[in-house]
Amino acid sequence: MIRYFTAGESHGPALSAIVEGMPAGVTITQESINYELARRQQGYGRGGRMKIETDKADVLSGIRFGKTIGSPITLVIKNRDWANWTTTMSQFEQPTEEIAKITIPRPGHADLAGRIKYGLDDIRPVIERSSARETAARVAAGTLAKIFLKELGIEIGSYVSAIGSTTEPSSEVQLHELLNQGAETLSRHADLSAVRMLTNAAENEAIAAIDHAKKAGDTLGGIIEIFITGVPVGFGSYVQHDRRLDAALASAILSIQAIKGVEIGTAFENARKSGSQVHDEFHLSAHEGVVRNTNRAGGLEGSMSSGQTIHLRAAMKPISSLVTPLQSFNMETLKPTPSRFERSDTCAVPAAGVVAEAVVAPVIANALLEKLGGDHLHEIRQRFDLYRESIRTSFCP
Ligand code: EPS
């Protein structure tokens, strides 16, 4: 099973990740990891930091001659901005000059609870580790699982369906056409847009909304749609809470900074309808076996994959670092005061879609490994092909 941890402060020397349990024999290139890191840096509305960084991952272990060897893989992404923070973020040396403590928490951020929880006298360490900069390490780690899944024809993609009150009116037909070619085709299409939306009209409206928010010293959230194609029926399980695939996917998405809601399929719309209008009926096809004409369940039934495209939707709150301050207080003087500004983004919804793709990849990879086992790509592929074919042929009338 794939496990990973990340480490690193936003303005420390580097971010890192150790990924354990990647099957052996998977071809990895540095370009493929760096490609995803570059995608994460994109998006209209990002702040000044993205102009400083060009994220690239160094691989320190677990890969030999371009292939995984089954050993833990260590990834390191250097922070270019570290050069400007060596005094403030010094690990051992005591600064000779006074470093101003941060004592005014931003509403909506980890500042208040983090300082209290860890008994700190300065909010700076909370900002450093709670920062969404950490997602660079998660994208690097998740990309490994994504590459492994792609070898088996399982693809993960995403697009942005809303930024603030701007909603993407993407047609079901267009979405279907893109997803039919694999979820990565959808992502490549979304990547052409500065806000990862699918129509020019929505893109232009979203850009204008971001400009407006920036001018007002405000921020915008939005909604991301995540799709996973090629997952066969029967991954995950209903028999125990911690083996439920829907719960594991939702947990991974909710672990992304600023994500406050997850929906599977059209769950909230379904809740307002009767069962006969919701459930996806079975039909039998001579060549494909079990087929459905609808996918309101979002590819997950009984906490297992249904064999249809998995569809998750995530709600991102507006970033909580605002130029125009909200009401706050000084944690030392206990005097009411406007919140302070920390450099940030106006809108990071497009980047969050790339992060979402990365965090669901190990979840799907683990569901696959739990079902089929195997330690190297060749044996996993044999088992995967056999499983898929046996399902298909069992139900062809
Ligand atoms: C981010 C890096 C950060 C922020 C942002 C995401 O860089 P800095 O703090 O140096 O400007 O731009 O972080 C946050 C939104 C946050 O709340 O901390 C990145 O690499 O994605």
Side-chain angles (χ1 to χ4, degrees):
M1 302 295 270
I2 298 171
R3 300 181 290 164
Y4 70 96
F5 281 103
T6 70
E9 275 72 45
S10 179
H11 305 101
L15 297 160
S16 58
I18 294 184
V19 185
E20 216 245 355
M22 263 291 286
V26 179
T27 302
I28 306 285
T29 63
Q30 266 182 306
E31 293 74 38
S32 52
I33 304 172
N34 294 339
Y35 173 76
E36 295 293 333
L37 289 174
R39 287 181 70 219
R40 194 202 71 93
Q41 287 199 263
Q42 298 308 307
Y44 194 81
R46 300 305 301 273
R49 181 71 182 272
M50 291 305 101
K51 294 191 181 80
I52 300 171
E53 306 293 344
T54 310
D55 292 334
K56 299 228 180 301
D58 289 324
V59 178
L60 303 193
S61 71
I63 294 181
R64 186 164 187 253
F65 307 138
K67 278 188 195 282
T68 56
I69 53 173
S71 311
I73 299 167
T74 310
L75 303 157
V76 175
I77 302 159
K78 292 192 185 96
N79 286 322
R80 281 197 181 172
D81 208 14
W82 161 242
N84 305 314
W85 290 77
T86 48
T87 308
T88 307
M89 288 304 295
S90 162
Q91 287 107 340
F92 298 109
E93 240 167 78
Q94 296 300 322
T96 44
E97 73 220 61
E98 172 111 25
I99 307 272
K101 280 183 196 165
I102 299 173
T103 55
I104 305 163
R106 289 163 292 174
H109 216 281
D111 298 354
L112 175 76
R115 193 189 125 157
I116 295 169
K117 178 178 171 68
Y118 291 100
L120 303 163
D121 66 349
D122 184 356
I123 293 170
R124 170 53 57 198
V126 181
I127 296 176
E128 289 296 321
R129 185 59 189 159
S130 62
S131 168
R133 173 104 194 108
E134 183 264 350
T135 59
R138 282 205 269 175
V139 166
T143 298
L144 303 177
K146 209 175 178 192
I147 294 169
F148 161 58
L149 291 172
K150 178 101 188 273
E151 288 278 0
L152 302 170
I154 298 175
E155 296 188 19
I156 305 171
S158 68
Y159 78 95
V160 170
S161 62
I163 286 184
S165 61
T166 305
T167 306
E168 163 68 63
S170 61
S171 78
E172 286 292 320
V173 180
Q174 184 195 18
L175 213 52
H176 229 86
E177 272 172 19
L178 291 166
L179 288 170
N180 263 346
Q181 296 164 65
E184 280 194 13
T185 304
L186 169 68
S187 266
R188 293 298 81 81
H189 195 79
D191 287 348
L192 298 173
S193 155
V195 286
R196 307 201 66 244
M197 284 180 151
L198 302 180
T199 60
N200 287 336
E203 178 185 36
N204 292 338
E205 203 187 302
I207 287 173
I210 293 167
D211 285 341
H212 189 265
K214 189 172 182 182
K215 228 169 157 184
D218 219 330
T219 57
L220 287 178
I223 298 172
I224 305 147
E225 313 281 329
I226 304 117
F227 295 89
I228 312 168
T229 51
V231 179
V233 64
F235 283 10
S237 180
Y238 56 89
V239 303
Q240 200 58 263
H241 62 91
D242 59 355
R243 293 175 62 194
R244 291 184 179 270
L245 185 57
D246 46 8
L249 288 166
S251 169
I253 300 274
L254 279 173
S255 76
I256 302 168
Q257 291 82 337
I259 300 293
K260 298 289 273 186
V262 183
E263 185 179 9
I264 295 170
T266 49
F268 287 92
E269 206 180 304
N270 295 352
R272 294 190 170 88
K273 292 181 177 168
S274 52
S276 59
Q277 296 171 298
V278 167
H279 300 295
D280 307 303
E281 290 181 293
F282 299 121
H283 302 281
L284 292 179
S285 136
H287 299 291
E288 294 170 71
V290 182
V291 292
R292 325 269 191 117
N293 296 330
T294 54
N295 184 17
R296 301 181 194 104
L300 290 152
E301 281 176 334
S303 292
M304 297 170 289
S305 54
S306 68
Q308 290 190 279
T309 295
I310 293 177
H311 177 202
L312 308 159
R313 180 175 289 130
M316 184 182 198
K317 69 180 178 183
I319 283 171
S320 46
S321 301
L322 305 181
V323 176
T324 304
L326 294 174
Q327 184 59 45
S328 185
F329 73 104
N330 188 316
M331 291 180 86
E332 269 175 11
T333 63
L334 302 187
K335 293 245 162 40
T337 168
S339 61
R340 55 176 289 284
F341 175 64
E342 178 81 19
R343 181 182 60 189
S344 189
D345 310 303
T346 307
C347 175
V349 179
V354 178
V355 178
E357 293 172 25
V359 299
V360 298
V363 176
I364 298 292
N366 282 341
L368 185 150
L369 292 170
E370 187 199 31
K371 176 81 187 90
L372 302 171
D375 294 291
H376 60 85
L377 184 60
H378 182 64
E379 74 179 345
I380 296 167
R381 196 195 300 280
Q382 278 181 332
R383 294 174 190 188
F384 184 75
D385 290 346
L386 205 67
Y387 178 61
R388 226 175 17 180
E389 196 50 20
S390 77
I391 299 161
R392 193 183 66 80
T393 50
S394 302
F395 299 105
C396 289

